[in-house]
């Protein structure tokens, strides 16, 4: 009680810390304590009891200081905080009483059986208080976390007028220099991101295996920086590593990656856990990299990788208006994606020659289709290059070798890149869609092409050169068309256009099935079948969604129709 009296002017948490400090200094002053007490036979049991009591006192003291540290982030009227503070005087009494008991043992060098029971009594009292205060402390932390998560949600979903407010809200404010650069070292947010369009490169440490994606982004960044620095002054990339347990081994990998990046990175220890949760839940981050663009305090694009791949630049605003302006200057022709053709095909279409790109899995259909098409092209005296670009290239080529049938095709990597480019274009169109998506010719044609690629049935597209209109159809209709093709005075593509325009879908036809990636799951508009223009039935397959969530893979929504 004399100790309490001497500490009367201090707060309860300060009383505890001063008493602990005094006890620690006293214990250090007792030099060679273990050697002095060694002759006493029952020393080990008493020493163990004392250690248990000191550990209990330490746990309770840390809990009290933890409450004090978090009290600034929550209302004084919070019930859990009130209960904690109400228990502080009792906890301080038990802590100081226990420290006095420990001190008495150190100085008296006694081993009384009653003292051992007394120590056990103190340990029980301390542990009960710790359990009560710690439970309230966990409730306080949970409430603070929920409050912080709500604030981060507001930052991202309500326009803030400046990107810095968002960036300052997602990092640990105690760290004044959260950004890391391979040359500049650690820097503040204000130094490099003020009044800039900020691209958050969201990923984990596995991007080291995505060398192609990283190389593409680095190339675009270097191109942007080389243009007299005018555009670069208004754009910056920040790598946002999503790492839950940042170990020493991960630390080395992180700095190795930073050394290979020309842009800035946020120190993983500075990113709030609440921000990680928001990114995982709202941006559906599941180990898949994305490039999130912040412009004037607002998220204007949730994944700009698709835009960067298509337009091959970083120095634009990524807003819906600018994206629509870029798309307004293009039309659905081969030159929209001819950059992803192989060299031979690219040179062929540049000479304004006829081209047929086709796909499918059935080798018998492929043999019949190509045979009939070659017959018709010879009959109409048309130079026509016929190239397989279907996703089943490996299986088709294996069957063709067995049957000794020659199939002209691109290599598998080139075909994969072609389809990735089409899907990137579809993503871009979907990200910035207006209410006129069903009138968007390019979007409709992309849906048809992607459905072709995902199908095992035969299909083909035709064009004369890179700037002519594209004609397309499914395999069954194509084969029937060419099998019935006779002599004609019309030029091949003119006649082909007429025949395609007369194709009538059967009354019981099934519309195409189209799989929407997770970031289009909230697409609200009615979607029309690109074949018959009837409304498609949208169904969210819950069983697949649940299974995918468990496997932490991409959540998908499927558009299907039954015959109308």
């Amino acid at each position: 009680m004399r100790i309490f009296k001497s500490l009367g002017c201090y707060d309860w948490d300060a009383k505890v810390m001063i008493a602990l400090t005094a006890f620690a200094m006293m214990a250090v002053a007792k030099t060679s304590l273990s050697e002095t007490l060694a002759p006493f036979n029952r020393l080990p049991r008493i020493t163990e009891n004392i250690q248990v009591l000191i550990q209990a006192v330490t746990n309770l003291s840390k809990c009290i200081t933890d409450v004090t540290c978090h009290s600034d982030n929550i209302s004084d009227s919070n019930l859990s905080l009130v209960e904690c503070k109400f228990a502080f005087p009792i906890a301080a009494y038990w802590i100081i009483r226990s420290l006095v008991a420990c001190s008495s043992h150190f100085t008296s060098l006694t081993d009384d059986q009653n003292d051992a029971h007394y120590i056990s009594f103190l340990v029980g009292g301390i542990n009960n208080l710790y359990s009560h205060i710690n439970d309230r402390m966990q409730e306080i932390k949970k409430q603070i976390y929920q409050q912080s998560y709500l604030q981060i949600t507001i930052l991202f979903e309500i326009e803030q007028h400046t990107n810095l407010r968002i960036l300052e809200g997602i990092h640990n404010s105690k760290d004044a220099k959260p950004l890391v650069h391979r040359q500049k070292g650690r820097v503040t947010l204000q130094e490099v991101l003020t009044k800039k369009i900020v691209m958050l490169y969201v990923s984990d440490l596995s991007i080291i295996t995505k060398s192609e994606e990283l190389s593409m982004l680095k190339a675009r960044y270097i191109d942007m920086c080389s243009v007299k620095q005018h555009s670069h002054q208004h754009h910056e990339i920040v790598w946002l590593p999503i790492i839950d347990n940042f170990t020493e081994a991960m630390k080395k990998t992180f700095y190795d990656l930073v050394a290979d990046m020309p842009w800035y990175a946020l120190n993983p220890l500075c990113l709030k856990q609440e921000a990680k949760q928001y990114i995982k839940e709202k941006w559906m981050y599941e180990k898949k990299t994305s490039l999130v663009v912040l412009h004037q305090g607002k998220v204007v694009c949730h994944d700009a990788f698709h835009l960067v791949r298509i337009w091959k630049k970083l120095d634009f605003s990524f807003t819906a208006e600018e994206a629509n302006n870029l798309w307004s200057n293009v039309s659905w022709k081969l030159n929209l994606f001819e950059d992803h053709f192989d060299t031979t095909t690219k040179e062929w279409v540049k000479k304004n020659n006829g081209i047929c790109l086709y796909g499918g899995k059935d080798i018998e259909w492929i043999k019949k289709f190509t045979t009939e098409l070659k017959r018709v092209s010879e009959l109409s005296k048309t130079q026509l290059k016929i190239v397989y670009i279907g996703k089943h290239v490996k299986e088709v080529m294996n069957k063709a070798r067995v049957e000794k049938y020659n199939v002209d095709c691109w290599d598998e990597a080139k075909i994969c890149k072609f389809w990735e480019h089409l899907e990137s274009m579809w993503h871009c169109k979907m990200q910035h869609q207006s209410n006129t998506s069903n009138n968007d010719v390019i979007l409709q044609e992309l849906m048809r092409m992607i459905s072709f690629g995902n199908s095992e049935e035969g299909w083909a597209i035709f064009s004369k050169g890179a700037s002519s209109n594209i004609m397309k159809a499914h395999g069954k209709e194509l084969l029937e068309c060419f099998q019935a093709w006779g002599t004609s005075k019309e030029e091949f593509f003119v006649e082909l256009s007429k025949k395609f325009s007369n194709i009538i879908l059967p009354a019981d036809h099934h519309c195409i099935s189209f799989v929407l990636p997770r970031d289009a799951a909230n697409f609200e508009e009615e979607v029309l079948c690109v074949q018959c223009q009837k409304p498609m039935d949208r169904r969210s397959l819950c069983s697949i969604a649940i299974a995918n969530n468990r496997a932490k893979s991409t959540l998908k929504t499927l558009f299907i129709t039954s015959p109308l």
Side-chain angles (χ1 to χ4, degrees):
M1 295 309 296
R2 285 198 299 271
I3 293 174
F4 268 108
K5 186 175 182 180
S6 63
L7 297 174
C9 62
Y10 296 99
D11 292 333
W12 292 108
D13 57 323
K15 287 180 172 67
V16 169
M17 297 314 297
I18 293 171
L20 275 172
T21 305
F23 174 75
M25 293 175 68
M26 180 276 296
V28 171
K30 299 293 181 179
T31 58
S32 303
L33 182 62
S34 59
E35 294 179 7
T36 303
L37 299 178
F40 293 88
N41 295 330
R42 304 184 69 181
L43 172 63
R45 184 178 57 80
I46 297 177
T47 303
E48 183 180 347
N49 287 343
I50 295 297
Q51 288 175 345
V52 171
L53 180 56
I54 291 174
Q55 185 60 56
V57 166
T58 304
N59 291 340
L60 181 55
S61 302
K62 285 181 178 178
C63 193
I64 290 172
T65 56
D66 206 10
V67 171
T68 304
C69 291
H70 284 83
S71 62
D72 292 339
N73 300 318
I74 200 163
S75 171
D76 290 338
S77 60
N78 181 274
L79 183 59
S80 296
L81 182 60
V82 170
E83 287 188 37
C84 283
K85 290 187 174 181
F86 182 78
F88 277 6
I90 305 169
Y93 170 78
W94 277 85
I95 288 172
I96 293 176
R97 181 177 174 178
S98 299
L99 293 176
V100 170
C102 291
S103 178
S104 298
H105 275 283
F106 287 165
T107 55
S108 67
L109 307 181
T110 61
D111 183 16
D112 192 319
Q113 185 67 27
N114 292 329
D115 287 345
H117 289 303
Y118 180 57
I119 295 298
S120 297
F121 165 72
L122 292 174
V123 169
I126 290 284
N127 286 339
N128 286 337
L129 278 167
Y130 171 77
S131 179
H132 173 74
I133 296 177
N134 187 59
D135 287 346
R136 303 290 83 72
M137 181 65 243
Q138 297 310 312
E139 292 176 5
I140 291 171
K141 285 183 176 179
K142 183 178 180 181
Q143 292 165 8
I144 292 173
Y145 185 91
Q146 291 173 341
Q147 183 177 323
S148 178
Y149 182 85
L150 178 60
Q151 290 171 346
I152 287 174
T153 302
I154 292 170
L155 282 174
F156 276 116
E157 298 182 5
I158 298 179
E159 190 170 338
Q160 304 299 317
H161 304 294
T162 170
N163 293 334
L164 280 178
R165 287 193 64 183
I166 295 177
L167 297 169
E168 288 168 351
I170 65 173
H171 94 279
N172 187 346
S173 58
K174 294 178 182 178
D175 195 317
K177 295 184 176 182
L179 296 182
V180 184
H181 191 270
R182 64 182 180 182
Q183 294 175 335
K184 300 176 184 178
R186 299 188 65 182
V187 295
T188 66
L189 295 168
Q190 293 77 10
E191 284 180 69
V192 293
L193 302 180
T194 301
K195 296 182 179 179
K196 287 189 178 181
I197 295 173
V198 179
M199 291 163 272
L200 300 177
Y201 183 22
V202 182
S203 78
D204 60 8
L205 295 180
S206 68
I207 57 170
I208 199 168
T209 63
K210 300 180 176 69
S211 57
E212 188 174 341
E213 178 184 88
L214 199 55
S215 297
M216 182 272 289
L217 190 59
K218 284 164 64 177
R220 301 289 174 259
Y221 185 86
I222 292 169
D223 289 343
M224 178 180 70
C225 296
S226 65
V227 185
K228 296 183 180 180
Q229 293 191 355
H230 173 71
S231 59
H232 181 228
Q233 290 175 355
H234 298 90
H235 296 75
E236 192 53 76
I237 294 178
V238 175
W239 178 31
L240 209 64
I242 309 300
I243 307 170
D244 291 324
N245 298 305
F246 193 48
T247 64
E248 284 299 316
M250 289 180 175
K251 187 175 181 180
K252 182 182 184 304
T253 304
F254 168 74
Y255 281 103
D256 286 344
L257 284 166
V258 168
D260 192 45
M261 292 178 176
W263 48 75
Y264 297 86
L266 185 72
N267 187 330
L269 297 175
C270 296
L271 184 61
K272 289 181 179 179
Q273 185 61 39
E274 304 92 289
K276 294 178 191 177
Q277 182 186 345
Y278 179 89
I279 290 169
K280 291 176 181 178
E281 291 182 356
K282 302 297 185 179
W283 295 352
M284 300 181 186
Y285 170 78
E286 293 175 357
K287 305 290 184 182
K288 179 181 178 294
T289 58
S290 59
L291 194 64
V292 181
V293 183
L294 304 179
H295 182 42
Q296 296 180 348
K298 182 180 179 182
V299 177
V300 294
C301 184
H302 281 91
D303 194 354
F305 268 124
H306 305 294
L307 283 165
V308 174
R309 287 192 187 101
I310 293 170
W311 307 114
K312 299 176 182 172
K313 60 179 183 176
L314 282 171
D315 54 342
F316 58 104
S317 67
F318 297 94
T319 60
E321 293 76 16
E322 187 162 5
N324 289 331
N325 288 336
L326 290 169
W327 281 108
S328 66
N329 297 320
V330 299
S331 56
W332 182 250
K333 296 178 180 179
L334 282 186
N335 53 18
L336 184 60
F337 39 82
E338 66 174 329
D339 286 347
H340 294 271
F341 289 0
D342 72 350
T343 305
T344 305
T345 308
K346 192 182 298 184
E347 291 300 320
W348 178 267
V349 297
K350 279 184 178 180
K351 295 176 182 177
N352 208 37
N353 291 322
I355 183 78
C356 168
L357 304 175
Y358 72 99
K361 187 177 180 180
D362 185 353
I363 189 66
E364 293 303 318
W365 175 86
I366 290 172
K367 289 164 65 177
K368 291 177 183 178
F369 168 72
T370 53
T371 300
E372 288 297 324
L373 183 54
K374 288 174 183 177
R375 180 187 68 81
V376 170
S377 63
E378 290 174 1
L379 188 66
S380 60
K381 298 179 181 179
T382 301
Q383 283 190 315
L384 190 68
K385 187 174 181 63
I386 307 171
V387 185
Y388 182 89
I389 62 166
K391 291 184 178 181
H392 306 283
V393 59
K394 186 180 292 185
E395 186 175 349
V396 167
M397 293 307 292
N398 288 337
K399 289 180 179 178
R401 286 191 202 97
V402 171
E403 300 190 20
K404 297 181 180 180
Y405 187 81
N406 183 42
V407 175
D408 185 13
C409 69
W410 299 344
D411 65 76
E412 190 175 4
K414 176 61 70 174
I415 290 175
C416 287
K417 285 293 176 187
F418 173 80
W419 290 107
E420 284 176 7
H421 182 69
L422 288 179
E423 288 167 6
S424 287
M425 288 195 289
W426 181 85
H427 272 277
C428 292
K429 296 294 288 182
M430 290 296 292
Q431 280 183 351
H432 300 297
Q433 265 313 301
S434 64
N435 292 324
T436 60
S437 63
N438 288 316
N439 298 322
D440 188 324
V441 174
I442 292 179
L443 178 60
Q444 294 292 301
E445 294 297 345
L446 284 170
M447 288 178 66
R448 184 191 291 270
M449 280 296 295
I450 293 172
S451 72
F452 279 170
N454 292 332
S455 172
E456 295 185 357
E457 297 179 1
W459 57 270
I461 64 172
F462 297 83
S463 179
K464 187 175 183 181
S467 57
S468 299
N469 291 330
I470 298 174
M471 292 170 281
K472 66 277 174 186
H474 283 285
K476 182 181 178 182
E477 289 82 10
L478 282 168
L479 192 55
E480 291 174 353
C481 170
F482 291 126
Q483 286 174 339
W485 193 297
T487 57
S488 173
K489 295 181 180 180
E490 295 283 4
E491 192 264 342
F492 173 81
F493 284 96
V494 174
E495 181 69 15
L496 189 65
S497 178
K498 289 180 180 179
K499 289 183 180 296
F500 277 16
S501 63
N502 292 327
I503 291 178
I504 300 175
L505 292 171
D508 62 345
H509 100 284
H510 287 263
C511 297
I512 63 169
S513 296
F514 193 73
V515 179
L516 295 180
R518 58 184 179 174
D519 50 1
N522 295 323
F523 189 57
E524 298 290 342
E525 297 179 42
E526 179 185 74
V527 176
L528 304 182
C529 172
V530 294
Q531 294 176 213
C532 64
Q533 293 301 301
K534 293 179 180 178
M536 297 179 74
D537 176 30
R538 176 177 181 156
R539 300 175 187 172
S540 178
L541 302 185
C542 299
S543 60
I544 292 179
I546 293 170
N548 282 339
N549 278 338
R550 287 175 183 163
K552 294 194 176 297
S553 59
T554 304
L555 177 64
K556 296 181 178 179
T557 304
L558 189 61
F559 279 93
I560 314 175
T561 54
S562 300
L564 297 178

